[in-house]
């Protein structure tokens, strides 16, 4: 790339995407070597139909395009969720018309182990703690109780239902909308254990 091309190309923001470690997972910027895993996990209707923008079917070219374009927009922070060094899903915060919005998906073989809750809690701490957002919003299709439960376990509160377009079904569907504000997050994070004392 020439100097003038470099000046025109949108800067890749991977360098400002930190690496976040949880008890079992590492969250880091998606990279080219993730293409195969992301394409194979995302090519499942159960994922595409529950997210706004993932197409179905989802091939290698879709994953390549995703990796090439991610973490370039101002306000967007996107992580590959990795387990033992291998990508198992994606989570992100992106600036949308209603504010910073959290999205996430995991490969189906990894469902049911608490990984989404563990990954999104790290993302939420990053969004409030490092990015200094005051609110986060998210959504789950009304027939997606697992995602609703993830949001509830993270402290999100239901705000209503909205019709939103789902690319994979080429139609709109009702989405439960949720919100978490900084005050609630800070309260949950500081909720210490009470100690039992003798009382007479
Ligand atoms: C939603 C998703 C990320 C959840 O991943 P996960 O790692 O299985 O989630 P967790 O294990 O952390 O938590 C799931 C919770 O939902 C519960 N759950 C799962 N299926 C459920 C069902 N059919 N009814 C009620 N609760 C259900 C689980 O029991 C668990 O709650 P618990 O810990 O209180 O028992 C995963 O299913 C997914 O990728 N779905 C497709 C994409 C998507 O929906 N993304 C979110 C919208 S942007």
């Amino acid at each position: 790339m020439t100097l003038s091309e470099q000046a025109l190309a949108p800067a890749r923001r991977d360098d400002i995407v930190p690496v976040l470690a949880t008890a079992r997972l590492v969250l880091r910027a998606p990279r080219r070597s993730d293409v195969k895993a992301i394409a194979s996990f995302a090519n499942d209707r159960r994922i595409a139909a529950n997210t706004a923008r993932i197409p179905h079917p989802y091939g290698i070219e879709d994953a390549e395009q995703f990796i090439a374009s991610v973490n370039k927009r101002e306000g967007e922070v996107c992580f590959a969720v990795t387990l033992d060094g291998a990508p198992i899903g994606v989570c992100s915060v992106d600036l949308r018309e209603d504010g910073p919005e959290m999205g996430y998906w995991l490969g189906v073989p990894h469902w049911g182990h608490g990984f989404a809750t563990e990954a999104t809690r790290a993302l939420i701490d990053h969004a409030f703690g490092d990015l200094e957002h005051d609110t986060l919003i998210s959504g789950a299709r009304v027939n997606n109780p697992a995602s609703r439960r993830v949001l509830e376990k993270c402290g999100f509160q239901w705000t209503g239902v909205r019709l939103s377009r789902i690319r994979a079904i080429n139609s709109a569907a009702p989405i439960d909308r949720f919100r978490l504000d900084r005050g609630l997050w800070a309260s949950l994070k500081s909720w210490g254990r009470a100690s039992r004392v003798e009382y007479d």
Side-chain angles (χ1 to χ4, degrees):
M1 194 185 278
T2 66
L3 273 180
S4 56
E5 280 170 338
Q6 273 174 15
L8 288 173
R12 196 163 181 94
R13 299 173 59 252
D14 290 356
D15 51 334
I16 64 156
V17 177
V19 177
L20 307 176
T22 68
R24 296 176 292 173
L25 305 169
V26 171
L27 279 57
R28 50 136 179 94
R31 26 173 111 124
R32 276 203 58 80
S33 54
D34 298 335
V35 161
K36 246 173 111 175
I38 286 180
S40 112
F41 284 137
N43 187 30
D44 187 308
R45 185 171 281 283
R46 288 167 287 182
I47 292 176
N50 281 298
T51 55
R53 283 165 286 277
I54 294 181
H56 188 77
Y58 188 98
I60 289 286
E61 304 75 32
D62 297 300
E64 283 173 346
Q65 198 186 338
F66 163 69
I67 302 278
S69 62
V70 79
N71 285 324
K72 283 188 175 161
R73 278 193 306 278
E74 192 61 39
E76 175 196 30
V77 61
C78 178
F79 294 93
V81 178
T82 70
L83 174 68
D84 299 329
I88 62 166
V90 169
C91 64
S92 64
V93 171
D94 206 353
L95 288 186
R96 300 281 166 197
E97 59 204 37
D98 296 343
E101 177 153 353
M102 184 174 83
Y104 48 89
W105 63 264
L106 287 185
V108 174
H110 299 284
W111 290 7
H113 301 286
F115 290 138
T117 306
E118 191 169 318
T120 51
R121 283 179 175 161
L123 177 62
I124 292 164
D125 286 353
H126 176 59
F128 286 119
D130 301 323
L131 304 178
E132 301 184 338
H133 289 312
D134 287 324
T135 61
L136 279 178
I137 51 176
S138 195
R141 280 185 74 175
V142 295
N143 57 354
N144 186 356
S147 183
R148 181 189 185 102
R149 182 81 185 126
V150 168
L151 293 171
E152 288 172 344
K153 286 194 288 178
C154 293
F156 277 79
Q157 295 180 311
W158 185 81
T159 56
V161 182
R162 192 170 85 185
L163 269 187
S164 293
R165 193 181 145 70
I166 307 279
R167 182 172 172 185
I169 62 171
N170 196 24
S171 172
I175 308 286
D176 279 318
R177 303 290 296 166
F178 294 83
R179 182 175 189 273
L180 176 63
D181 67 41
R182 166 179 291 282
L184 181 49
W185 167 76
S187 168
L188 292 172
K189 295 291 287 183
S190 65
W191 192 334
R193 183 185 289 268
S195 54
R196 191 181 272 249
V197 293
E198 292 306 318
Y199 182 75
D200 17 71

